[in-house]
Amino acid sequence: MAELRSAPLLCLLVFVPVVILTEIAAPEAHTLLFVLSVLAIVPLAALLSRATEAVSARTGDAVGGLLNATLGNLTELVIAFAALQAGQYLLVKASIAGAIVTNTLFMMGGAFLLGGLKYHVQEFNRVSARFQACLLFLATVAMLVPSVIGSVDQGADISHPLSLGISLILIAVYAMGMLFSLKTHRELFASVAEAAEEHGNWPLSTSITVLVVVTLFVALISEVFVGSVQVAAEQMGMTPAFVGFIVVALVGAAAEMTTAFSAARANRLDLSVGIALGSASQIALFVAPILVVISYFIGPEPMSLQFWPGAVTMIFIATMAATLLSNGGRGAWYVGVLALAVYSIFGLTLFLLPPSTPS
């Protein structure tokens, strides 16, 4: 009961068996399966986040940072794996772009707004935020280059080897970035206000068991989600691009958003900004390149980093917004309104004028 009071999202776990039973009883009810799978993934993401924090609290900063890097966006990664196996590359790319934009604009903007409504001005570590913004800028360049090459030079098909090479570079840069922030220059990334540890009370064995079991359930529910998303999206007047960019991103980041918003209301904007930008840079420099590499083994064909122009533009604008928001090291509620307004414009545009074909 204490767990349910501290994390109300866990009440939605009841939808996990409901999804499995519905898939067995009515496999053609795509819209119902889509809605139920969304409701089931949210609490599973919350449990993954909870268990990851508990494991990280018991393994030290370096190992904990590595765990957060690999498991912090596990929900999005598992969903993307399922879509990758199904050959739905537009959904995969839309979910990658959407996760970056959602974490940067919606999560950080919401934290600024909610924290600013309670506190006049809040402060956060400007160095850490700028570091993450720089990583996002690098990722934007990495996605821009294959997209520009693909649209300009149609004769030479170099998008796949170029994307693979860029992905390996991004993974290496991200690994060195973790070494920089967790080891050699860790003093630069100290929080302005240290947050009290709230999730270190689970035994290590319990945390690892929860991670394994919940990951299996996420994989199972993700297969149902990906299998129903195309038909359900058409019936609900949406496209896979909108679903990936908005729905998958919001669902996958639900647990992180809860933590970020709660931290902002507790005057821990430093923690909120770290979660938002850290998660975005993880997706851009770790999750996306890993998906490109894995596509050579589990996908119908290799996936490239060639996105449609609108997605690259939105990622670039979100990166610039992250740079501007983190420039002063202080936050207020109206800054959050501006970030949320940009995100709303993107969502409305995708809903009304989605990309017609994957790039």
Side-chain angles (χ1 to χ4, degrees):
M1 293 304 294
E3 288 290 337
L4 290 177
R5 285 194 297 269
S6 62
L9 287 176
L10 296 183
C11 294
L12 296 176
L13 284 173
V14 67
F15 288 103
V16 174
V18 172
V19 171
I20 298 174
L21 293 175
T22 305
E23 168 70 9
I24 297 174
E28 300 301 321
H30 295 292
T31 301
L32 179 61
L33 285 171
F34 170 77
V35 175
L36 291 175
S37 60
V38 168
L39 293 174
I41 289 173
V42 169
L44 290 174
L47 270 181
L48 276 179
S49 177
R50 174 77 165 81
T52 301
E53 291 172 4
V55 173
S56 300
R58 294 177 176 273
T59 53
D61 289 339
V63 179
L66 179 60
L67 284 171
N68 281 318
T70 54
L71 301 177
N73 293 296
L74 188 58
T75 307
E76 292 95 331
L77 193 59
V78 173
I79 294 175
F81 274 178
L84 206 61
Q85 286 181 307
Q88 296 191 30
Y89 288 168
L90 177 58
L91 179 62
V92 175
K93 293 180 180 181
S95 65
I96 292 171
I100 296 171
V101 173
T102 297
N103 287 323
T104 304
L105 294 177
F106 185 84
M107 190 186 301
M108 192 157 70
F112 274 50
L113 175 60
L114 294 176
L117 291 175
K118 187 174 181 180
Y119 301 95
H120 185 64
V121 175
Q122 295 177 294
E123 296 185 354
F124 56 90
N125 188 327
R126 182 170 54 182
V127 174
S128 177
R130 282 181 172 178
F131 175 73
Q132 301 293 349
C134 288
L135 294 182
L136 284 176
F137 180 76
L138 170 63
T140 304
V141 173
M143 295 177 185
L144 178 63
V145 171
S147 302
V148 171
I149 293 297
S151 60
V152 173
D153 189 3
Q154 300 289 346
D157 185 15
I158 65 170
S159 61
H160 292 301
L162 178 62
S163 297
L164 179 61
I166 290 175
S167 297
L168 296 176
I169 292 173
L170 292 181
I171 294 173
V173 169
Y174 186 70
M176 288 185 284
M178 290 183 61
L179 178 65
F180 179 80
S181 60
L182 295 174
K183 187 74 173 176
T184 64
H185 289 70
R186 58 189 297 179
E187 72 280 357
L188 299 177
F189 299 87
S191 299
V192 172
E194 292 294 334
E197 181 58 55
E198 298 175 352
H199 300 299
N201 56 337
W202 280 8
L204 185 60
S205 58
T206 300
S207 303
I208 294 176
T209 302
V210 170
L211 279 174
V212 173
V213 173
V214 173
T215 300
L216 293 176
F217 275 112
V218 170
L220 181 62
I221 301 300
S222 296
E223 287 188 9
V224 177
F225 174 84
V226 172
S228 62
V229 64
Q230 192 166 359
V231 176
E234 293 175 358
Q235 293 176 351
M236 299 172 70
M238 301 182 294
T239 66
F242 176 82
V243 172
F245 203 98
I246 303 297
V247 179
V248 174
L250 290 175
V251 169
E256 292 173 312
M257 285 181 189
T258 302
T259 304
F261 294 162
S262 299
R265 293 292 291 174
N267 201 24
R268 294 170 180 165
L269 190 61
D270 209 338
L271 179 60
S272 302
V273 173
I275 292 172
L277 295 185
S279 181
S281 62
Q282 283 175 18
I283 293 168
L285 274 78
F286 181 74
V287 174
I290 285 294
L291 289 173
V292 171
V293 175
I294 293 296
S295 69
Y296 280 80
F297 303 97
I298 68 172
E301 61 182 24
M303 188 182 80
S304 71
L305 287 175
Q306 185 179 343
F307 287 68
W308 69 91
V312 178
T313 302
M314 292 178 187
I315 294 174
F316 178 77
I317 293 174
T319 301
M320 293 301 99
T323 303
L324 293 173
L325 290 175
S326 61
N327 189 47
R330 308 176 80 188
W333 69 267
Y334 190 66
V335 179
V337 170
L338 297 177
L340 291 173
V342 176
Y343 182 79
S344 300
I345 292 171
F346 288 169
L348 180 62
T349 302
L350 273 177
F351 184 76
L352 296 177
L353 294 171
S356 56
T357 56
S359 50

